[in-house]
Amino acid sequence: MNSPIVHTTRLTAAYRRYLGSADAPRFAHEVDEHYTPSTLTALLSRGEVENRRAAALALGMLGDRHCVDSLGRALSDEDRGVRLVADDSFHSLIVRDAAPLHHQKLLRVIHLNDGCEYAAALSPAMVLIDQAPLYAEAHHQLAICWHGLEEFEKAETAYQSCLWHCRFHYTAWQSLAKIRMLLGKPNKALDALNRCLDINPDVETARMQRRAIRRRMRESDV
């Protein structure tokens, strides 16, 4: 009896070569020759597992803001490999979702926030939002500034602005929960954590936060 023919798509073949070589420019070029971002988003939502992983990887290299929601939905894919690749691509897109000049300014703000230099990051973050008001990650970084400076109400507003522009930004949902706890809003904090985990079920720290809040709420009722 003859073995069934296994159809290998160009995308799958390019992905397998990438896994063997880690040559990202070659992978991006090979995919870009034959696939549009809209085709890749379609494969990400309903393709076979290997195609979904490949599509998620390719969108991180070739996609734009119109692909963010598709990658956000893939964060809860049934396959962990798809989720991991989609997570990397999702963050790549939301960081570079602006003109190159604004992207460079954002990287400077991120660098300052990563170094806990929140006061120094505040002004350039606000200027960046004035220049690129639709840039979700700029709002997220502004929220981190306010959070670090213990301006919790302003941080809450900035996290909400980030989520208005990118509802799949699960990191912002998780941080919003922390702020809401600091503001004495445990029920709203739980809502934010539930949204975070609906988007990305792999965020174990959010699950731990949720258990801790529920335990604290039970203890306060005793």
Side-chain angles (χ1 to χ4, degrees):
M1 184 163 71
N2 294 329
S3 300
I5 296 173
V6 178
H7 179 61
T8 302
T9 65
R10 289 190 176 96
L11 179 61
T12 302
Y15 180 62
R16 290 174 183 173
R17 283 191 291 272
Y18 168 79
L19 293 178
S21 67
D23 189 340
R26 179 185 177 185
F27 172 74
H29 174 72
E30 290 177 345
V31 175
D32 193 35
E33 278 193 319
H34 300 287
Y35 296 87
T36 64
S38 61
T39 301
L40 291 170
T41 57
L43 288 170
L44 179 61
S45 66
R46 61 175 182 266
E48 297 297 323
V49 169
E50 194 172 25
N51 269 335
R52 297 204 307 277
R53 292 179 181 179
L57 177 66
L59 286 171
M61 301 175 185
L62 303 170
D64 56 24
R65 67 173 54 193
H66 302 294
C67 307
V68 169
D69 281 5
S70 294
L71 285 166
R73 283 187 283 272
L75 295 172
S76 59
D77 191 277
E78 63 184 15
D79 177 70
R80 180 170 172 76
V82 174
R83 298 198 302 270
L84 290 172
V85 178
D87 194 18
D88 286 341
S89 292
F90 175 80
H91 282 99
S92 294
L93 284 192
I94 62 175
V95 168
R96 72 167 192 261
D97 181 26
L101 176 62
H102 296 147
H103 179 214
Q104 289 303 312
K105 290 182 177 180
L106 177 76
L107 293 179
R108 174 60 179 163
V109 173
I110 291 174
H111 175 73
L112 291 169
N113 276 338
D114 286 348
C116 300
E117 298 182 56
Y118 305 117
L122 182 61
S123 178
M126 296 178 75
V127 169
L128 178 57
I129 287 172
D130 284 340
Q131 296 173 343
L134 302 181
Y135 202 176
E137 187 58 27
H139 291 277
H140 181 229
Q141 293 299 320
L142 177 61
I144 292 172
C145 293
W146 288 128
H147 196 159
L149 294 170
E150 299 186 357
E151 294 280 359
F152 300 135
E153 291 184 355
K154 292 179 180 178
E156 182 181 30
T157 299
Y159 282 127
Q160 289 171 328
S161 294
C162 168
L163 292 164
W164 176 259
H165 295 294
C166 182
R167 62 195 177 98
F168 289 102
H169 201 308
Y170 65 87
T171 306
W173 281 114
Q174 185 178 15
S175 297
L176 178 61
K178 295 177 183 177
I179 287 293
R180 286 176 169 174
M181 282 301 295
L182 291 167
L183 292 172
K185 304 175 182 179
N187 286 316
K188 288 190 174 182
L190 285 176
D191 289 342
L193 290 171
N194 288 336
R195 292 294 296 272
C196 171
L197 288 164
D198 285 344
I199 294 165
N200 187 342
D202 295 325
V203 187
E204 287 303 321
T205 53
R207 195 166 278 108
M208 291 169 62
Q209 279 177 257
R210 189 170 63 179
R211 285 197 296 267
I213 292 171
R214 288 172 173 168
R215 184 170 59 250
R216 190 178 306 177
M217 291 174 71
R218 287 195 301 270
E219 290 170 355
S220 66
D221 289 338
V222 175

